[in-house]
Structure formats: structure tokens, C-alpha cells
Amino acid sequence: VIRDPDLHDLFGQWITTRAAELIEDPPRDLALHAAGCDRCLRLAAAIDMLDGIDVGAAAIPPLITVPTRNEPGTLGPLARSAAISAALVLGAATAAAVGSSWLAGARPAGGGAQPSSPGEGVLAGVPSETASSRPTPSRTTRASQRETPTPEPSGTSPDESPALPAFLPPPPPAPLPPPPTTTPATAAPSITAAPTPTATLVPSPTAVPTVTPDLSPTQSPSPTPTSTPTPTPTPTGP
Amino acid sequence: MHPTSEVLRKAFRDLHSTRLYGFALLATLGDRRRAASLTGDALAAGTARTEELRHPERAAAWLRRQVMREAVRGRSADAPSAAGVDLQEIGVNAPILAGLSALTTRERGALVAASVERFDRRDVATIVDVDGARLDRLIGRARGRFAVAVADALDEDSMREGPWVARIRDIAARALR
């Protein structure tokens, strides 16, 4: 009776499926079998051992008691640094744009003759700061992705535009960059005096390089007329 | 932040953290670091939503569900040898560890939720994200595999008479009288 394999299997099934709660007694024949079967008693003992586990007795490591979570109104350090760098890049780009517009305004009609600097003509046509800041972010993202490894600032720049004035120092210093590229071609000595300082500013990483290449394709017509006037001064010099 | 909210969140953490960590320890076979990480993540997610809590009695199941999701998704638990003092503290000896090691993570979660913590069926379904007949099969399979593995690992010293063994002997004794 006790060694009946069917009872053995049946008890195994019962202990695993029906004995989830200590409500229902096992059938008598199964209990009789199990009471004399070492294997079945072991199965029952195994289920009994689950009662010996006390989930609440664990000592919690200290690190999990302090969940880290940002307050809704605060920025994380990464976001804060990204915002600052975005504002700085925008400021530099806007300063460069304003400066180039100044130069374009001060220069005679055919000032920027080289194909590398036609952006000045575009920026010169767009006088206000806000207008110049709008186009730069979308274009700078493409250009800065090639040149600088971190495109975040330019990506976030449109949102940061209201904070721009705070980071914008004086616009005049930056204007100089574009002219140096053009100056070698221009023979007029009076104009070269102004652009020369800009040559030192050209290397400045993000602002200048990003602006000039992007805008060039749109204003391609402007450079072509300017190139023709340059030869005219040379004959007049002598 | 409103002070009441902070008090509520602290109370929520204090209420759930210990048992949740114990659950995570069992789910990860005693991987303390991983259990702490899972517990911390679940508590952070839970405390962030304490003000939305409409059924506090379901919060424990919800937290365990978070733990289970990540535990199932993550790498498999370490070998039983990695289990340290923490498992012993909660009553897990070598045979029990052998039994838990024989299960998948989801089976472990189902077994612990149903047979150790004795959640009701709805909560177990929430925790393991399985319901209906599949849940029954999952729990049954987990108990069966656990029982077989523990039975194989039991020796005379570690075998003790629990409620089921006592009950079976009692029924048999009454039947033979």
C-alpha cells in the first residue's frame, strides 16, 4: 500500500499544486502513503521549509535607504552644464554674427569677395540679434557635429535663447573673424587694418567656424559680384 | 516640497524597504548588490508616486513587480556560492538555496510571493505578470521543482518536522487507529 507508485506521484502532484495553503488536508490514502514514504516526507518537508524563510529579517544595506531623485524644479548637474555651454556657444555665435554684420555694413558693397565668407553678407542682411540667433542653432548642429564632439549645446540652444542676453557680453569683439580670410585678396590698405585683429579670433573653436560654412550656400550669389570689384582697386593703386 | 509629502514618502520607504529587500534577495539568490539596486530602484519609483497611491494594500505587490521586471530582464543570478550572510539571516539554508537555484527567476518570484510571503492570488499575478491558468501552472511548477531539489539536498540534520509533515503523520495515525 505504501509503496504504490501512483500514490507516490499523486502525492507529489498534490503537495505542489493543492497544498499552497494549509487549508485542505491531503486525501487519506495519500497521507497514509506519504507517512511511510521517505521521498514523499522529504517533499513535504521541503514545502515546510518555505515557512522558515522570514523575508523581513534581512538587514538592508544603507545605500538603498536613500533613493536619489531630483526635485521637479532643479536641474541635474549634467543638464546645468549643458545649458551653460549652450548659452556660451550661442553667445559666441551671436556675437560673431553681429560683428560680421557690422563689418558688412561698414564695408563697401563688394567687401567680402571670397567664396569662404559669403556668410557675412547673409548676416549683414539680417540686422537684429534675435533673427541671427534663430538660424544659427539649426545650422550649427550640423557643422558642430563634424567639428566638435559635443553637439548638445547647439541642440538645446533654441530653448535657451531667452537666457542668451545674460551670457552675451559686448557683441563688438567677435565681429572680426570673417574679414581675415578675405583680406589677403583685398588690396585696399585702409580695409586691411581692421580685419587683421580678427585673424587671431578665427581659431576660436565653435563660434566662427560654424557660422561661416553653413550660411555660405544660401547666399552664393553675393560673392560672385564682389569678386569682380577687387581687381578694380589694383589698377587704380599705381 | 510639502513636508507632508516627505513624511509620506519616508513612511512608505520605511514600511516596504526591509521586506522588499528580502524579496529581492531571494529573487537574486542572495546577490546583495543587485538586490539592493533593485530594491532602491523600485522604492525610488514607488516613493515618487506615493501621492498617487489609491490602494496602499497593493503597493507591496506593485513594488515587487518592479523588482521582478528588472530581475527577469537582467542577467541571471549569481551562483549559489555567492549567497552570503544575508540569506542566512532570512532563514535560507543550503537545501533551500539549492531549491531556489533550481528555479527560474520568475518561478522564484512566484514561489516566494505565493508560498513565503503568502500574497493573495491577485497580487501574485501582479508580481509575476502572469494570471489565470498560466499562473496556476507557474506556481505549481515552481513548488514542484523546488520541492524535488530541496528533497534531494536534505539530510537528516537539516530535515525538520514542519506543519505539513506533522499533519500527514497525524492523518496517517488517525487512519491506522
Side-chain angles (χ1 to χ4, degrees):
Chain A
V1 173
I2 289 178
R3 301 297 173 202
D4 187 338
D6 288 341
L7 290 175
H8 193 81
D9 291 342
L10 285 173
F11 181 81
Q13 289 175 13
W14 186 87
I15 198 74
T16 56
T17 57
R18 304 289 301 278
E21 290 125 16
L22 284 167
I23 298 172
E24 191 180 346
D25 277 342
R28 233 179 77 171
D29 57 342
L30 290 186
L32 273 172
H33 160 79
C37 175
D38 181 64
R39 179 68 181 172
C40 290
L41 277 181
R42 282 174 176 266
L43 290 178
I47 298 299
D48 279 341
M49 292 182 83
L50 288 171
D51 289 336
I53 300 175
D54 182 3
V55 174
I60 313 176
L63 61 131
I64 66 161
T65 56
V66 186
T68 55
R69 184 171 179 270
N70 287 331
E71 296 302 321
T74 60
L75 280 176
L78 191 67
R80 198 178 306 127
S81 62
I84 291 173
S85 57
L88 286 175
V89 168
L90 260 183
T94 309
V98 169
S100 62
S101 69
W102 274 18
L103 272 182
R107 194 179 296 151
Q114 295 298 326
S116 61
S117 62
E120 300 169 35
V122 177
L123 293 175
V126 184
S128 67
E129 291 182 9
T130 55
S132 62
S133 65
R134 287 272 171 86
T136 45
S138 61
R139 301 214 171 247
T140 48
T141 46
R142 291 175 194 160
S144 60
Q145 278 172 353
R146 287 187 218 115
E147 296 179 1
T148 60
T150 57
E152 313 164 1
S154 53
T156 56
S157 55
D159 297 335
E160 302 296 333
S161 53
L164 185 69
F167 292 95
L168 259 184
L176 314 168
T181 55
T182 63
T183 45
T186 56
S190 60
I191 297 176
T192 51
T196 40
T198 63
T200 57
L201 290 177
V202 175
S204 65
T206 53
V208 180
T210 53
V211 174
T212 48
D214 295 334
L215 298 172
S216 58
T218 56
Q219 289 297 321
S220 53
S222 60
T224 48
T226 53
S227 60
T228 48
T230 47
T232 54
T234 47
T236 54
Chain B
M1 183 188 302
H2 198 275
T4 309
S5 303
E6 188 49 41
V7 169
L8 187 63
R9 290 176 184 195
K10 185 179 185 310
F12 184 85
R13 286 195 300 267
D14 292 345
L15 179 66
H16 290 288
S17 57
T18 304
R19 292 188 67 87
L20 185 62
Y21 176 63
F23 177 86
L25 263 184
L26 291 172
T28 59
L29 291 179
D31 186 339
R32 184 177 186 176
R33 182 178 298 178
R34 183 154 164 74
S37 169
L38 293 172
T39 305
D41 290 348
L43 279 176
T47 51
R49 302 173 65 176
T50 46
E51 289 164 7
E52 307 168 23
L53 201 58
R54 295 291 175 267
H55 299 282
E57 71 278 9
R58 301 258 96 87
W62 187 89
L63 288 169
R64 281 153 182 78
R65 178 191 181 96
Q66 307 305 309
V67 168
M68 280 304 297
R69 276 186 175 176
E70 293 305 314
V72 168
R73 190 178 303 163
R75 61 180 168 78
S76 59
D78 287 347
S81 60
V85 181
D86 287 358
L87 279 183
Q88 294 175 13
E89 285 178 351
I90 63 175
V92 175
N93 55 20
I96 294 178
L97 185 56
L100 292 174
S101 303
L103 308 180
T104 65
T105 305
R106 193 182 296 275
E107 287 170 349
R108 269 198 300 277
L111 179 71
V112 172
S115 300
V116 175
E117 296 207 83
R118 299 199 181 280
F119 280 101
D120 68 24
R121 187 182 159 79
R122 181 168 52 161
D123 283 339
V124 176
T126 299
I127 291 168
V128 295
D129 202 17
V130 171
D131 57 5
R134 286 181 60 215
L135 179 61
D136 292 337
R137 285 196 297 273
L138 177 66
I139 295 174
R141 188 170 64 242
R143 286 172 63 89
R145 293 177 65 185
F146 173 82
V148 168
V150 172
D152 289 341
L154 270 178
D155 53 21
E156 292 300 323
D157 295 336
S158 55
M159 188 169 168
R160 60 184 179 188
E161 188 166 306
W164 270 116
V165 173
R167 206 160 170 173
I168 287 165
R169 285 188 168 146
D170 183 53
I171 293 170
R174 276 188 278 129
L176 292 175
R177 254 180 234 154

